Amino acid sequence: MKKKILIAPLNWGLGHATRCIPIIKALEENGFEPIIASDGVALALLKKEFPNLLSIELPAYNIQYAEKGKNFKWKLALQMPKMMLAIKKEKSKINKIIENYEIDGIISDNRLGVYSSKVPSVFITHQLNVLSGKTSWLTTKLHSRYISKFDACWVPDVAGAENLSGKLGHPEKIVDKINYIGPLSRIEKKSLPIKYDIMVLLSGPEPQRTLLEKKLIKELENSSKEILFVKGIVESQQQMEKVNSITYYNFMNSEQLSTAFNESEFIVCRSGYTTVMDLAKLEKKAFFIPTPGQYEQEYLAKKFKSEIVAPSCKQEKFKASKLEKIHFYKGFKDFSVDPNWKELFRLFQSK
């Protein structure tokens, strides 16, 4: 009888859900039965990717971003009581799920309440240092306290000095239970002819996703370049529309996205870590527009700009002409390693 592993990504944009796709596939290939648990667009996306798997809805965190980057931290702080309540609710629900579905193990991607002392529990994060400006020491300490409740912590990056996550995933003092499992990407590199000059890839919480969408459309709508524009809105039906030289999609599944990535010369996107892993897998060139006020994305954009890997700018300062800078940057290199899934999943065999 197959062991049942609950895999639960945070619904915070699409990144946490998409990087769980290769883990779900690895679980199936190694004889486990994955069960998906999340909420909102993260759950919707995984249900589309794995329609035959059982999926369970978890309590939503319902975090809203500020419209202005300077208010990001304070708006987040005001929502902390709501977030703590959601964590408490999901902790309670997880105990019932374990009992009702006879769960043998848990893999939580940044869902802080999804763990149990009854079954082996794994936490996935690329943020062992949680940046929040002057309060980074506090947010990192709180995060570490949650991580300590899990049996293992998997960091989707390599352990060496040359890596993708920088100081986010490589603290000065290494935490116990840490496994660097290599970058995770659902995208496969293919040798395809270039079809699009630019691919725009959006995701992330509102209202910032919509604000960037409007900004980019305004800047690019009269471009002579061939542009693919993926809005990152997961809906029941896929929609496609061609306006002048821009082809719009509301969303794409993994297979379509993999093809689109490979057929595109440059990528314009947020500097979210999951996107960074995809770009590295494909050794692509990109232009980053970090989510205003989100310290992690701002840090990654600065890191890759200083390493002459990818140019970036603030959302309010973006102009189509800035994309010409991409030519003067070297682009990403592949850090892929083959995770030893058999060894990593051994934790679930101990029950």
Coordinates of all heavy atoms in Angstrom, one line a residue, residues 35-85:
I35 N -1.0 13.9 -1.8 CA -2.3 14.6 -1.6 C -2.0 16.1 -1.5 O -1.2 16.5 -0.7 CB -3.0 14.0 -0.4 CG1 -3.4 12.6 -0.5 CG2 -4.3 14.9 0.0 CD1 -3.9 11.9 0.7
I36 N -2.7 16.9 -2.3 CA -2.5 18.3 -2.4 C -3.3 19.0 -1.4 O -4.5 18.7 -1.2 CB -2.8 18.8 -3.8 CG1 -1.8 18.2 -4.8 CG2 -2.6 20.4 -3.9 CD1 -2.3 18.2 -6.3
A37 N -2.7 20.0 -0.7 CA -3.5 20.9 0.3 C -3.0 22.3 0.1 O -1.9 22.6 0.3 CB -3.3 20.4 1.7
S38 N -3.9 23.2 -0.2 CA -3.6 24.6 -0.2 C -4.9 25.4 -0.3 O -6.0 24.9 0.1 CB -2.7 24.9 -1.4 OG -2.2 26.3 -1.3
D39 N -4.9 26.6 -0.8 CA -6.1 27.4 -1.0 C -5.9 28.4 -2.2 O -4.8 28.5 -2.7 CB -6.4 28.2 0.2 CG -5.4 29.3 0.6 OD1 -4.3 29.0 1.1 OD2 -5.7 30.5 0.3
G40 N -6.9 29.0 -2.6 CA -6.9 30.1 -3.7 C -6.2 29.6 -5.0 O -6.4 28.5 -5.4
V41 N -5.5 30.5 -5.6 CA -4.9 30.3 -6.9 C -3.9 29.1 -6.9 O -3.7 28.4 -7.9 CB -4.3 31.5 -7.6 CG1 -5.4 32.5 -7.9 CG2 -3.3 32.2 -6.7
A42 N -3.2 29.0 -5.8 CA -2.2 27.9 -5.6 C -2.8 26.6 -5.7 O -2.4 25.7 -6.5 CB -1.4 28.0 -4.3
L43 N -4.0 26.4 -5.1 CA -4.7 25.2 -5.1 C -5.3 25.0 -6.5 O -5.2 23.9 -7.1 CB -5.8 25.2 -4.1 CG -6.7 23.9 -4.0 CD1 -5.8 22.7 -3.6 CD2 -7.8 24.0 -2.9
A44 N -5.8 26.0 -7.1 CA -6.4 26.0 -8.5 C -5.4 25.5 -9.5 O -5.7 24.6 -10.3 CB -7.0 27.3 -8.8
L45 N -4.2 26.0 -9.4 CA -3.1 25.7 -10.3 C -2.8 24.2 -10.2 O -2.6 23.5 -11.2 CB -1.9 26.6 -10.1 CG -0.7 26.3 -11.1 CD1 -0.1 27.6 -11.5 CD2 0.3 25.5 -10.4
L46 N -2.6 23.7 -9.0 CA -2.2 22.3 -8.8 C -3.3 21.4 -9.2 O -3.0 20.3 -9.6 CB -1.7 22.1 -7.3 CG -0.4 22.8 -7.0 CD1 0.0 22.6 -5.5 CD2 0.8 22.3 -7.8
K47 N -4.5 21.8 -9.0 CA -5.6 20.9 -9.4 C -5.6 20.8 -10.9 O -6.0 19.7 -11.5 CB -7.0 21.5 -8.9 CG -7.2 21.2 -7.4 CD -8.4 22.0 -6.9 CE -9.7 21.4 -7.2 NZ -10.8 22.0 -6.4
K48 N -5.3 21.8 -11.6 CA -5.2 21.8 -13.1 C -4.0 20.9 -13.5 O -4.1 20.2 -14.5 CB -5.0 23.2 -13.7 CG -6.3 24.0 -13.7 CD -6.1 25.3 -14.3 CE -7.4 26.2 -14.2 NZ -8.5 25.6 -15.0
E49 N -2.9 21.0 -12.8 CA -1.7 20.2 -13.2 C -1.9 18.7 -12.8 O -1.4 17.8 -13.5 CB -0.5 20.7 -12.4 CG 0.0 22.1 -12.8 CD 0.6 22.1 -14.2 OE1 1.2 21.1 -14.6 OE2 0.5 23.2 -14.8
F50 N -2.6 18.4 -11.7 CA -2.8 17.0 -11.3 C -4.3 16.7 -11.0 O -4.7 16.6 -9.8 CB -1.9 16.8 -10.0 CG -0.5 17.1 -10.1 CD1 0.1 18.3 -9.7 CD2 0.4 16.1 -10.7 CE1 1.4 18.5 -9.9 CE2 1.7 16.4 -10.9 CZ 2.3 17.6 -10.4
P51 N -5.1 16.7 -12.1 CA -6.5 16.5 -11.9 C -6.9 15.2 -11.2 O -8.0 15.1 -10.7 CB -7.1 16.6 -13.3 CG -5.9 16.3 -14.2 CD -4.7 16.8 -13.5
N52 N -6.0 14.2 -11.3 CA -6.3 12.9 -10.7 C -6.0 12.7 -9.2 O -6.3 11.7 -8.6 CB -5.6 11.8 -11.5 CG -6.1 11.8 -13.0 OD1 -7.3 12.0 -13.2 ND2 -5.2 11.5 -13.9
L53 N -5.3 13.7 -8.7 CA -4.9 13.6 -7.3 C -5.9 14.3 -6.4 O -6.6 15.2 -6.7 CB -3.6 14.4 -7.0 CG -2.3 13.8 -7.7 CD1 -1.1 14.6 -7.2 CD2 -2.1 12.3 -7.3
L54 N -6.0 13.7 -5.2 CA -6.9 14.3 -4.2 C -6.4 15.6 -3.7 O -5.2 15.8 -3.5 CB -7.0 13.3 -3.0 CG -7.9 13.7 -1.8 CD1 -9.3 13.8 -2.1 CD2 -7.7 12.8 -0.6
S55 N -7.3 16.6 -3.6 CA -6.9 17.9 -3.1 C -7.8 18.4 -2.0 O -9.0 18.1 -2.0 CB -6.9 18.9 -4.3 OG -8.2 19.0 -4.9
I56 N -7.2 19.1 -1.1 CA -8.0 19.5 0.1 C -7.7 21.0 0.3 O -6.6 21.5 0.2 CB -7.4 18.8 1.4 CG1 -7.6 17.3 1.2 CG2 -8.1 19.3 2.7 CD1 -6.8 16.4 2.2
E57 N -8.8 21.8 0.6 CA -8.7 23.2 0.9 C -8.3 23.5 2.3 O -8.9 23.0 3.2 CB -10.0 23.9 0.5 CG -9.8 25.4 0.5 CD -10.9 26.2 -0.2 OE1 -11.8 25.5 -0.7 OE2 -10.8 27.4 -0.3
L58 N -7.2 24.4 2.4 CA -6.8 24.8 3.8 C -7.3 26.2 4.1 O -7.6 26.9 3.1 CB -5.3 24.7 3.8 CG -4.6 23.3 3.8 CD1 -3.1 23.4 3.8 CD2 -5.1 22.5 5.0
P59 N -7.3 26.6 5.3 CA -7.7 28.0 5.6 C -6.8 29.0 4.9 O -5.5 28.8 4.9 CB -7.5 28.1 7.2 CG -7.5 26.7 7.6 CD -7.0 25.8 6.5
A60 N -7.3 30.1 4.4 CA -6.6 31.1 3.7 C -5.9 32.1 4.6 O -6.5 32.5 5.6 CB -7.5 31.8 2.7
Y61 N -4.7 32.5 4.3 CA -4.1 33.6 5.0 C -4.6 34.9 4.6 O -4.6 35.9 5.4 CB -2.5 33.6 4.7 CG -1.8 32.5 5.4 CD1 -2.3 31.2 5.7 CD2 -0.4 32.6 5.7 CE1 -1.6 30.2 6.3 CE2 0.3 31.6 6.3 CZ -0.3 30.4 6.6 OH 0.5 29.4 7.1
N62 N -5.1 35.0 3.4 CA -5.7 36.3 2.9 C -4.9 37.5 3.1 O -5.4 38.6 3.6 CB -7.1 36.5 3.5 CG -8.2 35.5 2.9 OD1 -8.0 35.2 1.7 ND2 -9.1 35.1 3.7
I63 N -3.6 37.5 2.8 CA -2.7 38.6 3.0 C -2.9 39.6 1.8 O -2.8 39.2 0.7 CB -1.3 38.2 3.1 CG1 -1.1 37.2 4.3 CG2 -0.3 39.4 3.3 CD1 -1.5 37.8 5.7
Q64 N -3.1 40.8 2.1 CA -3.2 41.9 1.1 C -1.9 42.7 1.1 O -1.4 43.1 2.1 CB -4.4 42.8 1.4 CG -5.8 42.2 1.1 CD -6.1 42.3 -0.4 OE1 -6.0 43.4 -1.0 NE2 -6.5 41.2 -1.0
Y65 N -1.5 43.0 -0.1 CA -0.3 43.9 -0.3 C -0.7 45.3 -0.3 O -1.8 45.6 -0.7 CB 0.4 43.6 -1.6 CG 1.5 42.5 -1.5 CD1 1.4 41.5 -0.5 CD2 2.5 42.4 -2.5 CE1 2.3 40.5 -0.5 CE2 3.4 41.4 -2.4 CZ 3.3 40.4 -1.4 OH 4.3 39.4 -1.4
A66 N 0.2 46.2 0.1 CA -0.1 47.6 0.1 C 0.1 48.1 -1.4 O 0.8 47.5 -2.2 CB 0.9 48.4 1.0
E67 N -0.6 49.2 -1.7 CA -0.5 49.7 -3.1 C 0.8 50.5 -3.2 O 1.3 50.6 -4.3 CB -1.7 50.6 -3.4 CG -3.0 49.9 -3.7 CD -4.0 50.7 -4.5 OE1 -3.6 51.6 -5.2 OE2 -5.2 50.4 -4.3
K68 N 1.4 51.0 -2.1 CA 2.6 51.7 -2.2 C 3.7 50.9 -1.4 O 3.4 50.4 -0.3 CB 2.5 53.1 -1.6 CG 1.6 54.0 -2.4 CD 1.6 55.4 -1.9 CE 0.7 56.3 -2.7 NZ 0.6 57.7 -2.1
G69 N 4.8 50.7 -2.1 CA 5.9 49.9 -1.5 C 6.3 50.3 -0.1 O 6.6 49.5 0.8
K70 N 6.3 51.6 0.2 CA 6.8 52.1 1.5 C 5.9 51.7 2.6 O 6.3 51.6 3.8 CB 6.9 53.6 1.5 CG 5.6 54.4 1.3 CD 5.8 55.9 1.3 CE 4.4 56.6 1.1 NZ 4.6 58.0 1.1
N71 N 4.6 51.3 2.3 CA 3.6 50.8 3.3 C 3.6 49.3 3.4 O 2.8 48.8 4.2 CB 2.2 51.3 2.9 CG 2.2 52.9 2.9 OD1 2.9 53.5 3.6 ND2 1.3 53.4 2.0
F72 N 4.4 48.6 2.7 CA 4.4 47.2 2.6 C 4.5 46.5 4.0 O 3.7 45.7 4.4 CB 5.5 46.6 1.7 CG 5.5 45.1 1.6 CD1 4.7 44.4 0.8 CD2 6.4 44.4 2.4 CE1 4.8 43.0 0.7 CE2 6.5 43.1 2.4 CZ 5.7 42.4 1.5
K73 N 5.6 46.9 4.7 CA 5.9 46.2 6.0 C 4.8 46.5 7.0 O 4.4 45.6 7.7 CB 7.2 46.7 6.5 CG 7.7 46.0 7.8 CD 9.1 46.1 8.0 CE 9.5 47.5 8.6 NZ 10.9 47.5 9.1
W74 N 4.3 47.7 7.0 CA 3.3 48.1 8.0 C 1.9 47.5 7.7 O 1.3 47.1 8.7 CB 3.2 49.7 8.1 CG 4.5 50.3 8.3 CD1 5.2 51.1 7.5 CD2 5.4 50.0 9.4 NE1 6.4 51.4 8.0 CE2 6.6 50.8 9.2 CE3 5.3 49.3 10.6 CZ2 7.7 50.8 10.1 CZ3 6.4 49.3 11.5 CH2 7.5 50.0 11.2
K75 N 1.6 47.4 6.5 CA 0.3 46.7 6.1 C 0.4 45.2 6.5 O -0.5 44.7 7.0 CB 0.0 46.9 4.6 CG -1.3 46.2 4.3 CD -2.1 46.9 3.2 CE -3.4 46.3 3.0 NZ -4.2 46.9 1.9
L76 N 1.6 44.6 6.3 CA 1.8 43.2 6.6 C 1.7 43.1 8.2 O 1.1 42.1 8.7 CB 3.2 42.8 6.1 CG 3.3 41.3 5.8 CD1 2.3 40.8 4.8 CD2 4.7 41.0 5.3
A77 N 2.3 44.0 8.9 CA 2.3 43.9 10.4 C 0.9 44.0 10.9 O 0.6 43.3 11.9 CB 3.2 45.1 10.9
L78 N 0.1 44.9 10.3 CA -1.3 45.0 10.8 C -2.1 43.7 10.5 O -3.1 43.5 11.2 CB -2.0 46.2 10.1 CG -1.5 47.6 10.5 CD1 -2.1 48.6 9.5 CD2 -1.9 47.9 11.9
Q79 N -1.6 42.9 9.6 CA -2.4 41.7 9.3 C -1.8 40.5 10.0 O -2.3 39.3 9.8 CB -2.3 41.4 7.8 CG -3.0 42.5 6.9 CD -2.8 42.2 5.4 OE1 -3.6 41.5 4.8 NE2 -1.8 42.8 4.9
M80 N -0.8 40.7 10.9 CA -0.2 39.6 11.6 C -1.2 38.8 12.5 O -1.2 37.5 12.5 CB 0.9 40.0 12.5 CG 2.2 40.3 11.7 SD 2.8 38.8 10.8 CE 3.3 37.8 12.1
P81 N -2.1 39.5 13.2 CA -3.1 38.7 14.0 C -4.0 37.8 13.1 O -4.3 36.6 13.5 CB -4.0 39.8 14.6 CG -3.1 41.0 14.7 CD -2.3 40.9 13.4
K82 N -4.4 38.3 11.9 CA -5.2 37.5 11.0 C -4.4 36.3 10.5 O -4.9 35.2 10.4 CB -5.6 38.4 9.8 CG -6.4 37.7 8.8 CD -7.0 38.6 7.7 CE -6.0 39.1 6.8 NZ -6.5 39.9 5.6
M83 N -3.1 36.5 10.2 CA -2.2 35.4 9.8 C -2.0 34.4 10.9 O -2.0 33.2 10.6 CB -0.8 36.0 9.3 CG 0.0 35.0 8.6 SD 1.7 35.5 8.3 CE 1.5 36.8 7.1
M84 N -1.8 34.8 12.1 CA -1.6 33.9 13.2 C -2.8 33.0 13.4 O -2.7 31.8 13.8 CB -1.2 34.7 14.5 CG 0.1 35.5 14.4 SD 1.5 34.5 13.9 CE 1.7 33.5 15.3
L85 N -4.0 33.6 13.3 CA -5.3 32.9 13.4 C -5.4 31.8 12.3 O -5.8 30.7 12.6 CB -6.5 33.9 13.3 CG -7.8 33.3 13.5 CD1 -8.0 32.6 14.9 CD2 -8.9 34.3 13.3

